[in-house]
Amino acid sequence: MGTIDGEIPASFFFIISLGFILLSYIQYKKTGKSIETIFLSIMAILFVISYFILIFYR
């Protein structure tokens, strides 16, 4: 098992963003447009942006 040495791999941000996208979709289908759905959508967008920043600015 390798060590990370204080660096977060970009794939973690991609996997987490997919999770937030799935959760926001489920939340939207269950309750409609609510504050929780908006929060999960914003978190998904932030993690996708973070992923692309890590990929392109290395």
Side-chain angles (χ1 to χ4, degrees), residues 8-18 21 43-58:
I8 301 173
S11 60
F12 287 174
F13 283 96
F14 183 68
I15 293 168
I16 293 170
S17 69
L18 289 178
I21 290 169
M43 291 299 291
I45 291 168
L46 287 175
F47 273 84
V48 167
I49 290 170
S50 300
Y51 170 73
F52 285 118
I53 288 173
L54 283 174
I55 291 295
F56 292 122
Y57 289 110
R58 281 195 172 182

Side-chain angles (χ1 to χ4, degrees), residues 18-35:
L18 289 178
F20 277 126
I21 290 169
L22 180 66
L23 286 174
S24 62
Y25 176 75
I26 292 170
Q27 181 72 18
Y28 180 75
K29 284 294 191 181
K30 188 175 181 181
T31 62
K33 189 176 180 184
S34 65
I35 191 73

